[in-house]
Amino acid sequence: MTTSDLWDEATAASYDEASAAMFAPDVLDPTVDRLAELAGEGRALELAIGTGRVGIPLAERGVEVVGIELSEPMAEQLRRKAPDLPVTIGDMATTQVEGTFALVYLVFNTIGNLTTQDEQVACFANAARHLGPGGRFVVEVGVPALRRLPPGQVAIPFDVSAEHVGLDTYDPVTQQAMSHHYSREANGSYSYWPHHFRYVWPSELDLMARLAGLRLESRTADWRGAPFTAESESHVSVWRA
């Protein structure tokens, strides 16, 4: 078992609603378009497939999709929507499934759910084990926002609204971080949900890829292919076997 936070039944039941913005066509369609292009006629493996936000529409495009998911409640939510999409319960750093794939991918900052460098290195190795010759590993993840963290400040807000306040706290020594979610419920009460993650730099990911025998093929700022620059807040990176 990895150090990743484990999504429970309550979190899984509300995940799609809480992440509604990520299901919007202008967000999801470019993601699926690019992944379908990279998969071509081959199979795709999604690590941490969750409730199937990306895996289900990708399968609907005709790509054979297989998933690995740590949380049984999250996988159950997916099965209710797409019972024929196969999901193996296990961690993305070590769990293996049968066969080889043209594409292995991780979206929406999920590489950070592995909260140690060793586990992130193991994840790259696991992805490489599943790739056939010329196959690709794709990771979508944010660039650490440390440039926005002045001396003495411990938190960076990433969402502030009447319904939700989100703050990230960072430890620049260990690269451990935490997202703090404060949400207003329908009954007027407030809930708090923390999420632990390990932030990782693009160059660090490239080294993990090299250790796994993969080479960087492309890096863009988003799924539409915008150039990655020093001002980019996230990146979509593709490494090839």
Side-chain angles (χ1 to χ4, degrees):
M1 185 66 68
T2 71
T3 57
S4 175
D5 289 347
L6 185 60
W7 273 240
D8 59 16
E9 289 187 10
T11 304
S14 63
Y15 183 84
D16 287 3
E17 181 179 357
S19 304
M22 298 302 296
F23 285 82
D26 63 329
V27 174
L28 187 55
D29 289 353
T31 306
V32 176
D33 288 345
R34 179 63 172 145
L35 291 173
E37 176 188 2
L38 291 170
E41 300 298 319
R43 305 167 72 215
L45 172 63
E46 180 170 354
L47 304 181
I49 194 169
T51 67
R53 178 183 70 91
V54 173
I56 292 174
L58 183 60
E60 291 172 346
R61 294 284 188 92
V63 177
E64 181 183 347
V65 177
V66 175
I68 292 174
E69 172 56 43
L70 182 62
S71 167
E72 175 65 45
M74 292 285 278
E76 183 56 32
Q77 292 293 322
L78 182 153
R79 295 186 186 109
R80 292 174 183 173
K81 296 183 286 184
D84 295 329
L85 198 161
V87 180
T88 297
I89 301 301
D91 71 85
M92 56 183 160
T94 63
T95 301
Q96 298 183 52
V97 297
E98 292 185 1
T100 57
F101 298 83
L103 176 68
V104 179
Y105 65 93
L106 266 170
V107 298
F108 198 19
N109 303 319
T110 313
I111 187 68
N113 290 1
L114 298 170
T115 60
T116 71
Q117 187 182 67
D118 285 345
E119 288 170 345
Q120 291 176 346
V121 169
C123 182
F124 271 76
N126 196 31
R129 278 193 294 269
H130 286 92
L131 289 174
R136 295 176 172 95
F137 182 37
V138 180
V139 171
E140 175 196 20
V141 66
V143 176
L146 298 190
R147 291 175 64 187
R148 296 171 54 197
L149 193 65
Q153 183 171 314
V154 297
I156 297 174
F158 60 85
D159 183 39
V160 179
S161 70
E163 305 300 326
H164 175 260
V165 173
L167 304 169
D168 282 338
T169 54
Y170 296 89
D171 184 337
V173 175
T174 65
Q175 292 182 218
Q176 297 299 306
M178 185 182 298
S179 293
H180 306 263
H181 298 267
Y182 301 86
S183 299
R184 186 168 66 178
E185 306 300 328
N187 63 7
S189 65
Y190 286 85
S191 63
Y192 168 68
W193 174 59
H195 170 54
H196 300 83
F197 66 98
R198 180 183 187 270
Y199 67 82
V200 60
W201 300 98
S203 57
E204 189 179 6
L205 291 171
D206 289 341
L207 183 55
M208 293 179 187
R210 289 178 59 189
L211 292 172
L214 307 175
R215 67 182 188 278
L216 182 67
E217 182 174 75
S218 67
R219 173 168 291 131
T220 57
D222 57 27
W223 292 102
R224 291 183 173 86
F228 180 76
T229 72
E231 303 305 317
S232 299
E233 297 183 352
S234 64
H235 62 98
V236 175
S237 295
V238 182
W239 297 273
R240 193 159 190 175

